Amino acid sequence: METAASPDNPIEQVAVVSSRLLRLLEVPRHGSYRDDAGDARDYRDFVEALGVAVYTTDAHGVITSYNTAAAELWGREPEIGKDLWCGSWKIYHLDGVTPMPHDQCPMAICLKEERPVRGIEAIAERPDGSRIYFRPFPTPLYDDVGKLAGAVNILVDVTESKQAELASVHLTAIVHSSDDAIISKDLDGVIQSWNPGAERIFGYTADEVIGRSIRLIIPAERQHEEDAVLARIRKGEYVEPFETVRRRKDGSEVDVSLSVSPIRNRAGEVVGASKIAHDVTERKHAESLIRYQKEALEMVTQQAPLGEVLDFMVRAIEGHSRSGMTAAIHLLNAAGTHFVSAVAPSLPEAYGDATEGLAVDSRSGPCCDAVLSAQPVSTVDVAQDRRWPQFAEFALPCGVRAGLSVPIFASRGDVVGTFAIYYREPREISPEDEALIGVVTRTVALAIERRQAEEALRESEDRFQQAARGARLGAWEWDLDQKLVWTESLQEIYGYGPEEFPGTIQAFTERLHPEDRESAFELVNRAVDERSELDFEARIILPSGEVRWLQSRGQLVFRADGAPERMVGVSMDITERKQAEEAARTAIEQSIAMKDQFLGLVSHELRTPITTILGNALILLRRNDKLQEDTRRQALSDVANEAERLQRIIENLLLLTRIDVDEHVDAEPLRLQPLIAQTVEALRLRNPRRNVEVSHDEELPIVQGQSELLALVIENLITNADKYSPPESNIEVLVQANGRDDVEVCIRDYGIGLDESDIEQVFTPFYRSARAKSQAKGIGLGLAVCKRVMEAQGGSIRAVARPDGGSDFIFNVKRYREDDE
Amino acid sequence: VAAAASQSPPRVLVIDDDQALLRMLRLSMASEGLEVETARDGVEGLKRLDANPFDVVVLDLQMPRMDGRTFFHEIATRDHPPEIVILSAYGAEQAKRELKVAAAVPKPFDPDDLIATVRRVAARKATSNTN
């Protein structure tokens, strides 16, 4: 601010006029003017009327007068005739810190040096602490003889202009030091000012651009933005910050955030615009990295194959890096001993070929070292690096000259792979790339780990599914309304193909057997109402028409407020169990029926001979003397035969219950011919009309068995043949050696014969063929006993239905061998 | 009436598949003065009935070819069917109730008891016929 003592300065004029006036008014030499003098009063009125602070001192600096404005400026009323130099409480230099002693203030200088002092400004501090910037105009006063009489000082309050000046200085400093570009332009877009920030961001110096159009830094395709901006500015509107692209001097583009405000003159007219451009390149850069990571994580969430996710990450950071590096991700096997796959889309195939399947060995390369040390490993020049002699061999042709390998850690802390960045030329690792890889590696680790967890889960689910399929078991979840979720295995049980089950309760109902629907729903509703466990069995009908039994168990799941929310459970195909139960029930029923039948048969078979024996015995007792001799003999003979018959039946029954299927009886060497002969003779006695023919090899080997048992078999078979063939037909007994081990006995009749179905069952206890039932009485015990007896002796028995009618019952007996004993 | 019945001995047909039993029954009944014929199954029994009238048939239930029940139903529709006395080793009483026959005798039995039963049944039949 100009402070020169120019005669044009109105304050200066006031000072001069005032000093002259004082002189004219004959200011008393001793520094006080006469208060009774009318002139003095006139002066005081004049000074008060001036409105500026005025005071006077005598030649020694003692304040002799001051006006109201001066007292206001000082914030105090100094003591006339006592206070020296200045009425201020405290005075500071303009820096606001250095105190200015009163005896060095401009007034003091003026008196001591007897000259007007101009151009010094100072700060007066009031007792209340407030400060006033003031400019003093101290002027010496002389008496008539020209001797210094004192001085008059006019203090001009410059606080407001001083503050404005300071603000302007600050503003300039701010504009100058701002990182942002601050540019002003006129309404035609001509650049008026250009700060160093603008120089830095756009590359032009102020000299180069001031006076040129702002359109210089606007890319062709964004020129319309300036039209819009200027249109708004002309209307006096502020342009909200917007992000755009501007062009640097070197032609490259820079992302900026712009805000533009109108500049007005004192009259308030818009005369131009100030524009602040903030460089958002770094922020955009950082944002794009976040975006890549977000995208990668989304891919992971959407279960994209891991290879795709990693490929995306590698390409993303290659695009993101400003160093032109290439990147690669290597995955380790579970044991951490080998690299199993490499994702390196920008590197030659040879790189992947060389690294896939590579054993982790400290001499192989930086990635191996990174795995082994669990630390980042870098090299500034592969060609010069002595650590990995073989690495350079394949790395250099792949364009790998320098690089950094960072281990990828799973959350448990083990290394699951490495992330590598490479440069084509020898160089230090870019700190930006290093930071980048640090950030991205965490995302990659997450992707890998998530995938591994998913695979593990899928495997365990697969195993469960397989187990569930094997067990014909499936799980379900019902929302207590219409929605039903079934596991795949359950859908299979219900006969739904993949994707066929619509997931509704309706679909379940449709498959239910109509007879079971009502009871099933009653049970389900009861479980929900009573909050009890659900357990029911119901039939379902598959699309093929097949009916299957399912057992379902379910349990309610409750919400936090205690209300039932859904029901979860399992269903199991129990068809086989049901069938087994059914079969068991049938078997039991049959065995009960068989027992009744057995009792009936046994009673009949036992009681009939007893009746004959008892009846004959009673007749002989009571009427012996009246009977004819031959009648008596017949009766006695019947008694004997029937007693034998009883004996045979009892023997068979006992044998059947005594000999189990797997039981073996002691065998002894014996000959078959006598046994056969005895049995045939016994039959001849019982039924003299029956013709039995026995034929056998001349030399029959000795067999091993128990004679009583074999006799029973022969007797049973011959008795059967007698029972089930016409009285006049022959019975043949054929005995021959069968191979080296056996002797075969065939009892042949020409009787009722056997059906194919009989062959199967004829040896089952109590089984009697339809033909046999119509032919003769019996309990179906004989053949069953034969079979057990033969098997217990290590032999066998079978039945053959001959085409000419009649049956062959053939049993094999083991030949006797001495070494068997 | 009772005198008339005693004047002509009851004619009895015994049907059983057991030869020895038949011999024993024929012997005991004949020695007590009954007129006895025997048959070995239902088929043979029907032939005998066709040939001669009988007052009482002593019928075994379990027989081959035609069993006692079938035989019973065969003769039930005839005019003046004979009275039936069932012989059975198992379930004689039940069969009596079921078939509503005159009497049932479980095996084994004292032949004199059977003869007494046959006489009683024959006498009742004679009475009902005369009335």
Side-chain angles (χ1 to χ4, degrees), chain B residues 57-99:
Chain B
V57 174
V58 174
L59 181 66
D60 186 18
L61 287 181
Q62 287 165 305
M63 289 181 297
R65 288 225 283 183
M66 182 184 287
D67 69 12
R69 281 185 170 76
T70 314
F71 174 85
F72 173 83
H73 291 298
E74 280 286 325
I75 64 163
T77 53
R78 296 190 174 201
D79 292 337
H80 309 295
E83 292 295 321
I84 303 287
V85 175
I86 281 176
L87 284 188
S88 182
Y90 190 71
E93 273 306 308
Q94 192 189 335
K96 180 193 164 195
R97 283 194 302 274
E98 188 189 319
L99 300 179

Side-chain angles (χ1 to χ4, degrees), chain A residues 690 718-726 729 749-753 768-769 771-780 783 806-807 809:
Chain A
R690 178 65 73 183
I718 286 178
T719 306
N720 272 355
D722 180 45
K723 252 163 101 175
Y724 299 114
S725 58
S729 65
D749 68 57
Y750 296 88
I752 58 173
R768 296 192 72 214
S769 75
R771 295 185 197 184
K773 281 178 188 166
S774 68
Q775 182 71 23
K777 282 199 268 194
I779 53 175
L783 289 176
S807 315
F809 283 87

Side-chain angles (χ1 to χ4, degrees), chain B residues 2 20 27-28 35 41-42 47 49 52 99 102 115 117 123-124 131:
Chain B
L27 178 62
S28 59
E35 286 189 34
D41 56 41
K47 280 183 193 162
L49 270 184
N52 294 295
L99 300 179
I115 289 162
T117 303
R124 205 162 57 201
N131 293 344

